[in-house]
Amino acid sequence: MSSAPPAPAPTPAAGPLRRLRPDWLSDPKVWRTEVLAGLVVAPALIPEAISFSVIAGVDPQIGLFASFTMAVTIAVVGGRRAMISAATGAVALVIGPLNREHGLGYLVAAVILAGVCQIVLGVLGVGRLMRFVPRSVMVGFVNALAILIFMTQLSELTHVPWAVYPLLAGALALLVFTPKLTKVVPAPLVTVVVLTALTVGAGLAVPTVGDKGALPDSLPVPGLPDVPFTVETLTIIAPYALAMALVGLMESLMTAKLVDDLTDTRSNKTRESIGQGVANIVTGFFGGMGGCAMIGQTMINVKVSGARTRLSTFLAGAFLLVLCVVFGPVVSEIPMAALVAVMVMVSIGTFDWHSVTPATLRRMPAGEIAVMVITVAMVVATANLAVGVVVGSLTAMAVFARRVAHHAELSAERDADGERVVYTLTGALFFASANEIVARFDYAGDPARVVVDLSRAHVWDASSVAVLDTVTAKYAQRGKTVEITGLNTPSAELHARLSGELAVTGH
């Protein structure tokens, strides 16, 4: 009796192929979450894109098309899954003056050039600089973001019909209590559908998405910007393009880091930097106003809807275009109160409430609190997240330098015969700490032989070498010799390379 043939062994490629297959293809639950997340984010993109178009001084269709191309492109080439990129206020503020002074063609050309700049910066490794952003700046960034999101909603709640306020209260109640009843359908989607049906059915005259501007009724068409391809054009658009590239990358990388922390996963910052550039180039060729990561909509996608894959980002852009082109009349009827309620809940959920509790503030060093407060104040005052991050990071550097400078210690021990004194330096020697050391030597009272022991110190910069040369020169003026000992290898190499080559203050 013949035995059955053995089952074929799995091919070596089966394992890698299975790992490369997206989760949403094999898990219906993941697929449903991603699709519903895209449906929730898409309508939330519409009023923001229209508002940012107004800031930039362009037709609302320009902002909506930019949101579509940015989201769809970054879903493929970006380095942070589930992060939403679209037209943003920060980019609109940067390139708006260019559009007002020179026209739409120059704006589009600047968007394309900004994309090129972002690719170059990505290749140069600008994404790796994110590790130098301290936690206090990150907390300040998140809290300032929550405040900005909330503040931008206030304009939708002033000089409006009285019916807006009960609608807002009802929307907030739906957002709070719907997740307690079911999590199959995201609460924001339920809120938008219920309030739209209520306002249309009851004939309530309240502000709607349609009041923000006309929605597009056709697909975007690619083309070249209508500008002369000359050096003069390049000189006009280059400053705006570089500013847009830097602001866009900073916001995108900060948002990626925030999503990393929320999801306990790592993103590829270099790929995200390059991906933002590619997305802006594509958006420019489709006549869009460019953009970057949108923190508010990303929070809706990741934190509220639970999305984790690229599918939600892609579908957010795809659904946005479908909603505008196919279901424009229906989308126009969505009451702004529903979207305001969603963004208010996003701002509440985004704010790091633990960071401002009395117990936390009592434990935190004063310098860390100052950095957080300065970051928040700068962002809120300028409405520019990039400015806050830069100022906060510089403040953190100053606080750190001041703190480390006080850790450099100098002690002296004289030999029994009194013919030699040994100074022992402990800690990090750099510009902030080394300059204080000069005045702590007893140049007049010390004996003829002076030893400076650096076996417990490290020389970090040229300022420290210059200080050691200054100390040596001050003793030499009095006919005394200085011997520097105990340098570790990096310190010795730096000292040997720079000693005697720097200007020395001998008085």
Side-chain angles (χ1 to χ4, degrees), residues 125 128 200 438 461:
R128 290 193 291 271
V200 172
V438 177
D461 58 7

Side-chain angles (χ1 to χ4, degrees), residues 86-302:
T88 61
V91 169
L93 288 170
V94 170
I95 61 174
L98 177 62
N99 178 61
R100 287 188 285 273
E101 293 174 17
H102 298 282
L104 180 61
Y106 284 84
L107 181 149
V108 172
V111 170
I112 296 173
L113 181 59
V116 174
C117 293
Q118 287 177 328
I119 291 175
V120 172
L121 291 170
V123 171
L124 293 176
V126 69
R128 290 193 291 271
L129 296 178
M130 286 306 300
R131 68 179 184 270
F132 295 110
V133 177
R135 183 185 178 278
S136 52
V137 173
M138 192 66 189
V139 172
F141 170 83
V142 170
N143 291 346
L145 165 65
I147 294 171
L148 280 185
I149 292 174
F150 181 81
M151 291 176 61
T152 55
Q153 309 311 308
L154 297 180
S155 61
E156 304 294 340
L157 301 175
T158 55
H159 308 296
V160 294
W162 67 269
V164 168
Y165 302 109
L167 283 175
L168 176 65
L172 291 172
L174 282 171
L175 290 167
V176 171
F177 293 110
T178 298
K180 300 180 185 300
L181 300 175
T182 178
K183 293 186 179 180
V184 174
V185 182
L189 185 58
V190 173
T191 303
V192 168
V193 171
V194 170
L195 261 68
T196 303
L198 178 62
T199 54
V200 172
L204 297 177
V206 295
T208 63
V209 170
D211 296 332
K212 291 292 185 180
L215 302 181
D217 55 7
S218 61
L219 297 175
V221 178
L224 294 174
D226 184 18
V227 295
F229 293 91
T230 61
V231 174
E232 182 183 0
T233 299
L234 181 62
T235 58
I236 292 172
I237 66 173
Y240 295 95
L242 182 59
M244 175 185 164
L246 294 173
V247 169
L249 277 186
M250 187 168 295
E251 292 213 19
S252 299
L253 294 175
M254 289 294 288
T255 306
K257 191 172 188 299
L258 179 59
V259 177
D260 290 352
D261 295 339
L262 286 174
T263 60
D264 293 325
T265 57
R266 294 184 63 184
S267 58
N268 187 328
K269 303 299 189 302
T270 298
R271 178 175 173 177
E272 181 61 33
S273 302
I274 296 173
Q276 287 290 329
V278 173
N280 273 306
I281 291 173
V282 171
T283 298
F285 281 122
F286 274 94
M289 58 180 278
C292 61
M294 293 194 77
I295 306 176
Q297 279 68 16
T298 297
M299 290 299 99
I300 295 175
N301 196 46
V302 174

Side-chain angles (χ1 to χ4, degrees), residues 383-405:
N384 190 323
L385 294 165
V387 170
V389 171
V390 170
V391 174
S393 297
L394 292 175
T395 305
M397 290 169 59
V399 170
F400 175 77
R402 184 175 181 276
R403 185 183 302 162
V404 174

